[in-house]
Amino acid sequence: ILVYPNPAHDIINIGMVEDMNEIRIYNSTGQIIYHEQVNHNRVEVDVNSFLPGMYLVQTRTENGVFTERFLRQ
């Protein structure tokens, strides 16, 4: 999983080699603050409304669950 830019200000791009089925973003307390069903290998997410801090991106594919952190400044 690739999440960029990191740190982010307005938008993050989430990319994988294979198609993702689902994206979830968790805040530092473990709450899901973003959820989307997808069928692509690259997705753009607007993080303008996210408070500054560390977040966890979780993607699900047919081959498993993948996670990556990013910083919202």
Side-chain angles (χ1 to χ4, degrees), residues 19-57:
D19 282 351
M20 298 173 276
N21 299 326
E22 180 180 31
I23 296 171
R24 292 182 181 186
I25 299 178
Y26 297 87
N27 64 15
S28 60
T29 62
Q31 296 173 304
I32 298 173
I33 59 166
Y34 180 87
H35 178 256
E36 183 178 1
Q37 300 287 337
V38 295
N39 191 24
H40 303 285
N41 68 344
R42 181 165 294 152
V43 176
E44 185 178 278
V45 178
D46 183 351
V47 296
N48 237 344
S49 64
F50 293 16
L51 295 174
M54 189 65 67
Y55 292 87
L56 183 71
V57 176

Side-chain angles (χ1 to χ4, degrees), residues 2 5 13 24 46 49 58 66 69:
L2 180 62
N13 295 284
R24 292 182 181 186
D46 183 351
S49 64
Q58 181 182 79
F66 304 88
R69 290 183 293 190

